[in-house]
PDB file of all heavy atoms in Angstrom:
ATOM      1  N   SER F  56      89.582  94.564 104.141  1.00 98.00           N
ATOM      2  CA  SER F  56      89.563  93.439 103.221  1.00 98.00           C
ATOM      3  C   SER F  56      89.673  94.008 101.818  1.00 98.00           C
ATOM      4  O   SER F  56      89.620  95.223 101.620  1.00 98.00           O
ATOM      5  CB  SER F  56      88.294  92.628 103.422  1.00 98.00           C
ATOM      6  OG  SER F  56      87.213  93.516 103.512  1.00 98.00           O
ATOM      7  N   ASP F  57      89.803  93.122 100.843  1.00 98.00           N
ATOM      8  CA  ASP F  57      90.070  93.565  99.474  1.00 98.00           C
ATOM      9  C   ASP F  57      88.862  93.259  98.591  1.00 98.00           C
ATOM     10  O   ASP F  57      88.522  92.095  98.401  1.00 98.00           O
ATOM     11  CB  ASP F  57      91.298  92.784  98.974  1.00 98.00           C
ATOM     12  CG  ASP F  57      91.853  93.345  97.689  1.00 98.00           C
ATOM     13  OD1 ASP F  57      91.261  94.288  97.147  1.00 98.00           O
ATOM     14  OD2 ASP F  57      92.880  92.824  97.224  1.00 98.00           O
ATOM     15  N   ASP F  58      88.220  94.301  98.084  1.00 98.00           N
ATOM     16  CA  ASP F  58      87.044  94.131  97.204  1.00 98.00           C
ATOM     17  C   ASP F  58      85.793  93.671  97.958  1.00 98.00           C
ATOM     18  O   ASP F  58      84.932  93.005  97.381  1.00 98.00           O
ATOM     19  CB  ASP F  58      87.311  93.105  96.075  1.00 98.00           C
ATOM     20  CG  ASP F  58      88.349  93.565  95.068  1.00 98.00           C
ATOM     21  OD1 ASP F  58      88.833  94.705  95.182  1.00 98.00           O
ATOM     22  OD2 ASP F  58      88.655  92.783  94.147  1.00 98.00           O
ATOM     23  N   ILE F  96      90.164 101.506  93.110  1.00 98.00           N
ATOM     24  CA  ILE F  96      91.068 100.414  92.757  1.00 98.00           C
ATOM     25  C   ILE F  96      92.086 100.261  93.877  1.00 98.00           C
ATOM     26  O   ILE F  96      92.373 101.204  94.608  1.00 98.00           O
ATOM     27  CB  ILE F  96      91.696 100.638  91.364  1.00 98.00           C
ATOM     28  CG1 ILE F  96      92.533  99.439  90.949  1.00 98.00           C
ATOM     29  CG2 ILE F  96      92.482 101.927  91.299  1.00 98.00           C
ATOM     30  CD1 ILE F  96      92.644  99.264  89.464  1.00 98.00           C
ATOM     31  N   CYS F  97      92.590  99.025  93.961  1.00 98.00           N
ATOM     32  CA  CYS F  97      93.318  98.576  95.150  1.00 98.00           C
ATOM     33  C   CYS F  97      94.456  99.466  95.652  1.00 98.00           C
ATOM     34  O   CYS F  97      94.349 100.159  96.665  1.00 98.00           O
ATOM     35  CB  CYS F  97      93.864  97.201  94.821  1.00 98.00           C
ATOM     36  SG  CYS F  97      94.652  96.383  96.169  1.00 98.00           S
ATOM     37  N   ALA F  98      95.598  99.408  94.964  1.00 97.00           N
ATOM     38  CA  ALA F  98      96.793 100.088  95.475  1.00 97.00           C
ATOM     39  C   ALA F  98      96.582 101.603  95.589  1.00 97.00           C
ATOM     40  O   ALA F  98      97.010 102.211  96.577  1.00 97.00           O
ATOM     41  CB  ALA F  98      98.003  99.743  94.617  1.00 97.00           C
ATOM     42  N   ARG F 101      94.857 102.262  98.812  1.00 98.00           N
ATOM     43  CA  ARG F 101      95.759 102.075  99.955  1.00 98.00           C
ATOM     44  C   ARG F 101      96.695 103.277 100.093  1.00 98.00           C
ATOM     45  O   ARG F 101      97.016 103.715 101.203  1.00 98.00           O
ATOM     46  CB  ARG F 101      96.555 100.775  99.791  1.00 98.00           C
ATOM     47  CG  ARG F 101      95.651  99.559  99.956  1.00 98.00           C
ATOM     48  CD  ARG F 101      96.164  98.320  99.258  1.00 98.00           C
ATOM     49  NE  ARG F 101      95.036  97.419  99.024  1.00 98.00           N
ATOM     50  CZ  ARG F 101      94.686  96.421  99.841  1.00 98.00           C
ATOM     51  NH1 ARG F 101      95.394  96.149 100.906  1.00 98.00           N
ATOM     52  NH2 ARG F 101      93.622  95.691  99.562  1.00 98.00           N
ATOM     53  N   LYS F 145      97.718  92.073 102.948  1.00 97.00           N
ATOM     54  CA  LYS F 145      97.921  92.603 101.590  1.00 97.00           C
ATOM     55  C   LYS F 145      98.188  94.108 101.558  1.00 97.00           C
ATOM     56  O   LYS F 145      97.423  94.900 102.086  1.00 97.00           O
ATOM     57  CB  LYS F 145      96.688  92.302 100.728  1.00 97.00           C
ATOM     58  CG  LYS F 145      96.854  92.821  99.287  1.00 97.00           C
ATOM     59  CD  LYS F 145      95.760  92.325  98.356  1.00 97.00           C
ATOM     60  CE  LYS F 145      95.843  93.062  97.016  1.00 97.00           C
ATOM     61  NZ  LYS F 145      94.797  92.675  96.074  1.00 97.00           N
ATOM     62  N   HIS F 218      89.056  89.012  97.195  1.00 98.00           N
ATOM     63  CA  HIS F 218      89.566  89.346  95.852  1.00 98.00           C
ATOM     64  C   HIS F 218      89.513  88.143  94.900  1.00 98.00           C
ATOM     65  O   HIS F 218      89.582  86.999  95.333  1.00 98.00           O
ATOM     66  CB  HIS F 218      91.008  89.843  96.006  1.00 98.00           C
ATOM     67  CG  HIS F 218      91.565  90.496  94.782  1.00 98.00           C
ATOM     68  ND1 HIS F 218      92.216  89.798  93.795  1.00 98.00           N
ATOM     69  CD2 HIS F 218      91.558  91.781  94.385  1.00 98.00           C
ATOM     70  CE1 HIS F 218      92.583  90.632  92.843  1.00 98.00           C
ATOM     71  NE2 HIS F 218      92.195  91.844  93.173  1.00 98.00           N
ATOM     72  N   SER F 376      86.943  98.319 103.335  1.00 98.00           N
ATOM     73  CA  SER F 376      87.504  97.613 102.191  1.00 98.00           C
ATOM     74  C   SER F 376      88.262  98.636 101.354  1.00 98.00           C
ATOM     75  O   SER F 376      88.024  99.833 101.484  1.00 98.00           O
ATOM     76  CB  SER F 376      86.372  96.995 101.374  1.00 98.00           C
ATOM     77  OG  SER F 376      86.862  96.495 100.148  1.00 98.00           O
ATOM     78  N   ASP F 377      89.167  98.166 100.486  1.00 98.00           N
ATOM     79  CA  ASP F 377      89.903  99.140  99.660  1.00 98.00           C
ATOM     80  C   ASP F 377      88.987  99.797  98.631  1.00 98.00           C
ATOM     81  O   ASP F 377      89.308 100.840  98.102  1.00 98.00           O
ATOM     82  CB  ASP F 377      91.142  98.501  99.016  1.00 98.00           C
ATOM     83  CG  ASP F 377      90.808  97.327  98.112  1.00 98.00           C
ATOM     84  OD1 ASP F 377      89.687  96.784  98.204  1.00 98.00           O
ATOM     85  OD2 ASP F 377      91.681  96.933  97.317  1.00 98.00           O
ATOM     86  N   GLN F 378      87.883  99.197  98.354  1.00 98.00           N
ATOM     87  CA  GLN F 378      86.788  99.781  97.567  1.00 98.00           C
ATOM     88  C   GLN F 378      85.619  98.824  97.611  1.00 98.00           C
ATOM     89  O   GLN F 378      85.745  97.739  98.147  1.00 98.00           O
ATOM     90  CB  GLN F 378      87.091 100.100  96.101  1.00 98.00           C
ATOM     91  CG  GLN F 378      88.260  99.577  95.362  1.00 98.00           C
ATOM     92  CD  GLN F 378      88.500  98.125  95.191  1.00 98.00           C
ATOM     93  OE1 GLN F 378      89.649  97.735  95.174  1.00 98.00           O
ATOM     94  NE2 GLN F 378      87.488  97.275  95.080  1.00 98.00           N
ATOM     95  N   GLY F 379      84.507  99.239  96.985  1.00 98.00           N
ATOM     96  CA  GLY F 379      83.361  98.346  96.880  1.00 98.00           C
ATOM     97  C   GLY F 379      83.538  97.396  95.704  1.00 98.00           C
ATOM     98  O   GLY F 379      84.649  97.239  95.170  1.00 98.00           O
ATOM     99  N   PHE F 380      82.446  96.754  95.285  1.00 98.00           N
ATOM    100  CA  PHE F 380      82.534  95.741  94.240  1.00 98.00           C
ATOM    101  C   PHE F 380      81.147  95.503  93.672  1.00 98.00           C
ATOM    102  O   PHE F 380      80.152  95.632  94.379  1.00 98.00           O
ATOM    103  CB  PHE F 380      83.072  94.434  94.840  1.00 98.00           C
ATOM    104  CG  PHE F 380      83.931  93.627  93.902  1.00 98.00           C
ATOM    105  CD1 PHE F 380      85.158  94.094  93.486  1.00 98.00           C
ATOM    106  CD2 PHE F 380      83.513  92.375  93.453  1.00 98.00           C
ATOM    107  CE1 PHE F 380      85.971  93.339  92.640  1.00 98.00           C
ATOM    108  CE2 PHE F 380      84.323  91.608  92.601  1.00 98.00           C
ATOM    109  CZ  PHE F 380      85.548  92.098  92.199  1.00 98.00           C
ATOM    110  N   LYS F 390      85.178  96.582  89.769  1.00 98.00           N
ATOM    111  CA  LYS F 390      84.932  97.881  90.439  1.00 98.00           C
ATOM    112  C   LYS F 390      85.247  99.033  89.486  1.00 98.00           C
ATOM    113  O   LYS F 390      84.738  99.084  88.412  1.00 98.00           O
ATOM    114  CB  LYS F 390      85.807  97.973  91.685  1.00 98.00           C
ATOM    115  CG  LYS F 390      87.289  97.714  91.425  1.00 98.00           C
ATOM    116  CD  LYS F 390      87.749  96.409  91.963  1.00 98.00           C
ATOM    117  CE  LYS F 390      89.190  96.131  91.629  1.00 98.00           C
ATOM    118  NZ  LYS F 390      89.620  94.844  92.121  1.00 98.00           N
TER     119      LYS F 390
HETATM  120 CA1   CA C  14      90.714  95.777  95.753  1.00 71.93          CA
END
Side-chain angles (χ1 to χ4, degrees):
S56 45
D57 192 357
D58 293 357
I96 185 153
C97 186
R101 290 155 202 265
K145 181 170 170 182
H218 193 271
S376 170
D377 60 343
Q378 15 59 214
F380 214 67
K390 53 252 177 182

